[in-house]
Amino acid sequence: MATTRMTFLRPFTTHLFNPISRRFADRLPGFAILSYVGRKTGTLYRTPINVFKRDDIYIFALTTAPRSTGSRTCSRPASATCAHAGRDVHLVEPELFTDPTRHLMPLVVRVVLRFNDVQDFLQMRPA
């Protein structure tokens, strides 16, 4: 998994965008708030993230840092809660994968992800 063109935005998103967007991201199409417990600290994190549902699978586009602490935390055998479309869903069986074709994404999103060289995703299913 490589870095994306958007990786340089990570400090901005972590310290400015995320605290603001946590207030409404769970109600926007294509976004969710992913809640998970930190691997080392045990701290509860709430991260706004791109999400798309395909059948019973939730797929998260890892736009800034596929090897970030949050991505590694969610990819271990654990669980997370996804606040999406006004409801909370408990998710399990995380799996990181690379998809250069981005075929699981809607067409418009696929174009944006291609432009930003995003190829890494996290998928989870409801418990």
Side-chain angles (χ1 to χ4, degrees):
M1 293 185 195
T3 60
T4 69
R5 290 185 182 137
M6 297 175 66
T7 300
F8 76 94
L9 290 174
R10 187 164 187 242
F12 168 77
T13 59
T14 301
H15 299 293
L16 184 62
F17 180 75
N18 286 359
I20 294 168
S21 64
R22 275 188 208 108
R23 298 175 186 199
F24 56 83
D26 59 334
R27 296 182 299 277
L28 292 176
F31 286 90
I33 308 255
L34 192 64
S35 301
Y36 56 92
V37 176
R39 292 180 304 140
K40 295 179 182 178
T41 64
T43 302
L44 176 65
Y45 292 97
R46 296 182 68 241
T47 305
I49 191 167
N50 294 108
V51 64
F52 299 94
K53 190 174 176 194
R54 293 284 182 230
D55 299 323
D56 262 359
I57 302 293
Y58 287 79
I59 301 168
F60 303 92
L62 303 178
T63 56
T64 57
R67 293 188 185 269
S68 71
T69 303
S71 299
R72 289 193 317 264
T73 297
C74 286
S75 64
R76 70 183 177 148
S79 64
T81 300
C82 175
H84 175 64
R87 58 184 266 241
D88 290 344
V89 179
H90 184 72
L91 301 175
V92 295
E93 297 179 10
E95 180 184 334
L96 286 172
F97 67 96
T98 300
D99 178 16
T101 67
R102 303 157 193 90
H103 75 280
L104 296 173
M105 300 291 110
L107 180 60
V108 127
V109 174
R110 201 176 313 154
V111 170
V112 172
L113 294 177
R114 184 177 300 125
F115 175 76
N116 290 305
D117 198 28
V118 175
Q119 300 180 30
D120 298 306
F121 302 89
L122 170 68
Q123 73 177 24
M124 298 179 84
R125 69 169 188 79

mmCIF file of all heavy atoms in Angstrom, residues 10-22:
data_model
loop_
_atom_site.group_PDB
_atom_site.id
_atom_site.type_symbol
_atom_site.label_atom_id
_atom_site.label_comp_id
_atom_site.label_asym_id
_atom_site.label_seq_id
_atom_site.Cartn_x
_atom_site.Cartn_y
_atom_site.Cartn_z
ATOM 1 N N ARG A 10 -2.956 15.158 5.719
ATOM 2 C CA ARG A 10 -3.288 14.465 6.961
ATOM 3 C C ARG A 10 -3.241 15.362 8.200
ATOM 4 O O ARG A 10 -4.173 15.329 8.996
ATOM 5 C CB ARG A 10 -2.383 13.250 7.151
ATOM 6 C CG ARG A 10 -2.818 12.432 8.347
ATOM 7 C CD ARG A 10 -2.208 11.050 8.317
ATOM 8 N NE ARG A 10 -2.785 10.267 9.371
ATOM 9 C CZ ARG A 10 -2.092 9.765 10.370
ATOM 10 N NH1 ARG A 10 -0.803 9.939 10.433
ATOM 11 N NH2 ARG A 10 -2.699 9.066 11.295
ATOM 12 N N PRO A 11 -2.217 16.192 8.405
ATOM 13 C CA PRO A 11 -2.246 17.061 9.602
ATOM 14 C C PRO A 11 -3.446 18.015 9.592
ATOM 15 O O PRO A 11 -4.075 18.244 10.626
ATOM 16 C CB PRO A 11 -0.926 17.842 9.514
ATOM 17 C CG PRO A 11 -0.037 16.996 8.670
ATOM 18 C CD PRO A 11 -0.940 16.300 7.695
ATOM 19 N N PHE A 12 -3.785 18.540 8.429
ATOM 20 C CA PHE A 12 -4.941 19.434 8.305
ATOM 21 C C PHE A 12 -6.234 18.699 8.630
ATOM 22 O O PHE A 12 -7.063 19.184 9.385
ATOM 23 C CB PHE A 12 -4.997 20.019 6.884
ATOM 24 C CG PHE A 12 -6.290 20.704 6.569
ATOM 25 C CD1 PHE A 12 -6.556 21.973 7.052
ATOM 26 C CD2 PHE A 12 -7.243 20.072 5.786
ATOM 27 C CE1 PHE A 12 -7.753 22.604 6.765
ATOM 28 C CE2 PHE A 12 -8.439 20.696 5.496
ATOM 29 C CZ PHE A 12 -8.699 21.967 5.991
ATOM 30 N N THR A 13 -6.408 17.496 8.064
ATOM 31 C CA THR A 13 -7.647 16.772 8.304
ATOM 32 C C THR A 13 -7.756 16.313 9.752
ATOM 33 O O THR A 13 -8.826 16.375 10.346
ATOM 34 C CB THR A 13 -7.789 15.549 7.365
ATOM 35 O OG1 THR A 13 -6.690 14.678 7.561
ATOM 36 C CG2 THR A 13 -7.883 15.977 5.926
ATOM 37 N N THR A 14 -6.647 15.888 10.326
ATOM 38 C CA THR A 14 -6.672 15.396 11.702
ATOM 39 C C THR A 14 -7.004 16.487 12.711
ATOM 40 O O THR A 14 -7.796 16.279 13.620
ATOM 41 C CB THR A 14 -5.308 14.767 12.065
ATOM 42 O OG1 THR A 14 -5.054 13.703 11.155
ATOM 43 C CG2 THR A 14 -5.296 14.239 13.483
ATOM 44 N N HIS A 15 -6.421 17.659 12.535
ATOM 45 C CA HIS A 15 -6.549 18.703 13.550
ATOM 46 C C HIS A 15 -7.614 19.750 13.262
ATOM 47 O O HIS A 15 -8.064 20.439 14.179
ATOM 48 C CB HIS A 15 -5.203 19.393 13.760
ATOM 49 C CG HIS A 15 -4.150 18.436 14.238
ATOM 50 N ND1 HIS A 15 -4.183 17.831 15.470
ATOM 51 C CD2 HIS A 15 -3.052 17.946 13.616
ATOM 52 C CE1 HIS A 15 -3.157 17.021 15.600
ATOM 53 N NE2 HIS A 15 -2.451 17.070 14.480
ATOM 54 N N LEU A 16 -8.040 19.894 12.018
ATOM 55 C CA LEU A 16 -9.024 20.932 11.701
ATOM 56 C C LEU A 16 -10.309 20.344 11.117
ATOM 57 O O LEU A 16 -11.396 20.548 11.652
ATOM 58 C CB LEU A 16 -8.418 21.952 10.728
ATOM 59 C CG LEU A 16 -9.312 23.133 10.381
ATOM 60 C CD1 LEU A 16 -9.640 23.942 11.627
ATOM 61 C CD2 LEU A 16 -8.645 24.012 9.355
ATOM 62 N N PHE A 17 -10.180 19.600 10.032
ATOM 63 C CA PHE A 17 -11.371 19.094 9.344
ATOM 64 C C PHE A 17 -12.127 18.052 10.166
ATOM 65 O O PHE A 17 -13.351 18.115 10.289
ATOM 66 C CB PHE A 17 -10.989 18.512 7.976
ATOM 67 C CG PHE A 17 -12.158 17.975 7.223
ATOM 68 C CD1 PHE A 17 -13.058 18.819 6.616
ATOM 69 C CD2 PHE A 17 -12.367 16.596 7.136
ATOM 70 C CE1 PHE A 17 -14.153 18.308 5.936
ATOM 71 C CE2 PHE A 17 -13.452 16.086 6.462
ATOM 72 C CZ PHE A 17 -14.341 16.951 5.854
ATOM 73 N N ASN A 18 -11.435 17.057 10.728
ATOM 74 C CA ASN A 18 -12.109 15.983 11.468
ATOM 75 C C ASN A 18 -12.940 16.483 12.642
ATOM 76 O O ASN A 18 -14.093 16.076 12.784
ATOM 77 C CB ASN A 18 -11.117 14.923 11.922
ATOM 78 C CG ASN A 18 -10.637 14.052 10.793
ATOM 79 O OD1 ASN A 18 -11.043 14.212 9.647
ATOM 80 N ND2 ASN A 18 -9.745 13.131 11.095
ATOM 81 N N PRO A 19 -12.414 17.374 13.500
ATOM 82 C CA PRO A 19 -13.252 17.835 14.613
ATOM 83 C C PRO A 19 -14.533 18.543 14.155
ATOM 84 O O PRO A 19 -15.583 18.400 14.784
ATOM 85 C CB PRO A 19 -12.340 18.809 15.365
ATOM 86 C CG PRO A 19 -10.958 18.359 15.043
ATOM 87 C CD PRO A 19 -11.037 17.858 13.619
ATOM 88 N N ILE A 20 -14.460 19.255 13.056
ATOM 89 C CA ILE A 20 -15.654 19.942 12.544
ATOM 90 C C ILE A 20 -16.598 18.947 11.879
ATOM 91 O O ILE A 20 -17.808 18.945 12.140
ATOM 92 C CB ILE A 20 -15.243 21.052 11.549
ATOM 93 C CG1 ILE A 20 -14.479 22.146 12.288
ATOM 94 C CG2 ILE A 20 -16.463 21.619 10.833
ATOM 95 C CD1 ILE A 20 -13.783 23.143 11.388
ATOM 96 N N SER A 21 -16.065 18.081 11.032
ATOM 97 C CA SER A 21 -16.919 17.176 10.263
ATOM 98 C C SER A 21 -17.542 16.061 11.102
ATOM 99 O O SER A 21 -18.535 15.459 10.687
ATOM 100 C CB SER A 21 -16.157 16.591 9.083
ATOM 101 O OG SER A 21 -15.091 15.798 9.532
ATOM 102 N N ARG A 22 -17.003 15.790 12.286
ATOM 103 C CA ARG A 22 -17.615 14.783 13.170
ATOM 104 C C ARG A 22 -19.048 15.158 13.530
ATOM 105 O O ARG A 22 -19.846 14.307 13.890
ATOM 106 C CB ARG A 22 -16.812 14.630 14.453
ATOM 107 C CG ARG A 22 -15.684 13.689 14.341
ATOM 108 C CD ARG A 22 -15.023 13.422 15.694
ATOM 109 N NE ARG A 22 -13.647 13.085 15.448
ATOM 110 C CZ ARG A 22 -12.612 13.866 15.708
ATOM 111 N NH1 ARG A 22 -12.781 15.044 16.263
ATOM 112 N NH2 ARG A 22 -11.400 13.473 15.416
#
